[in-house]
Every structure is written in C-alpha cells, then in structure tokens.
Amino acid sequence: MDITLTNNTPPDSWTLTDRCRLLANALVNPQNKGAQDRLCMMLHNQLECLEASLSQPIPEHRKDLGIPLDDGLFDYAELEPDELCDQCMALNFTLMTLQDRKIKEIIAFILWERFEMLRCSLYASTEEAA
C-alpha cells in the first residue's frame, strides 16, 4: 500500500518507522561505512519525529492495515549463539562507556533481551543435536 503524503500532511508513525528501517539497513551495509556518522544523525532526527508521532491518534488511512508483507529488507534468520554473544559483548561495552542514565537503562534492557535470545538459541541447538 503506497500512501502519498502532501506537504500539508506530516509523516505518521508508520512512515517514520519505514524511514528508520531504511536508515538502519544503510548503517549496517558494508558499503556505507564512511557515511555512518551522517546516517546516525539522520536516524536520530527521524527517531525524534517518530517519538512525537507515536503519541498522536492513529490516522484514518492507517487503521486496519493488517500485517505488512516481507519487503526483503531484513534477514529474519535465527542468530547463531556466537553472533548473539558478539552483540551482548558490544552492548555491554556500550554500557561501560556511556554516561547518560536513560540510554544506559535502555541498552541494559536490550542486553537482557539478547541474553534471553542467546539462552533460547543454546537450548534450540542442543535439541537439534539430540
């Protein structure tokens, strides 16, 4: 479903989320390493707009959309335990270097989620080996 926005229509949470997804995908793309700082700033601006738009009522044209089709932008394959361990190490390093309490709390929650994913991944791999 393609929704065309006019200059008078501010972007809603769905549009902003799609913009953030594209920017996040560009951040992890190896060809974009030189532009990473600029992409982070663009993503930061979009996230600030998204935060504000999430408090707004759902626009009429976004009601009853259903689940979006897979656009192929992300790989939904299960992460291997070593990949999850790497992510946990990076998140923990980030916690050790950050000063902002709010951001540290959020990163700690994401780290906790990753450890739970790692735990589930380990149990799944032992079941496959059996």
Side-chain angles (χ1 to χ4, degrees), residues 3 7 14 24 29-30 33 57-58 64-65 72 85 92 116-117 121:
I3 302 295
N7 289 339
W14 287 262
N29 188 331
K33 292 298 181 199
I58 297 174
D64 303 319
L65 289 178
C85 183
N92 188 56
E116 183 60 18
M117 289 175 67
S121 177

Side-chain angles (χ1 to χ4, degrees), residues 7-84:
N7 289 339
N8 299 332
T9 307
D12 57 31
S13 302
W14 287 262
T15 301
L16 291 164
T17 298
D18 281 342
R19 289 179 186 173
C20 290
R21 290 176 71 240
L22 289 169
L23 287 167
N25 182 267
L27 275 172
V28 300
N29 188 331
Q31 289 86 12
N32 290 329
K33 292 298 181 199
Q36 203 167 42
D37 289 340
R38 179 76 178 122
L39 287 167
C40 282
M41 288 305 300
M42 291 171 67
L43 184 55
H44 178 79
N45 292 336
Q46 292 298 308
L47 286 167
E48 285 181 340
C49 293
L50 177 58
E51 183 179 39
S53 73
L54 286 171
S55 64
Q56 301 299 314
I58 297 174
E60 286 300 318
H61 68 279
R62 294 294 188 180
K63 293 182 178 177
D64 303 319
L65 289 178
I67 298 173
L69 297 174
D70 182 6
D71 57 10
L73 188 60
F74 288 91
D75 178 8
Y76 295 103
E78 297 274 332
L79 294 173
E80 295 294 321
D82 59 328
E83 294 170 313
L84 288 164

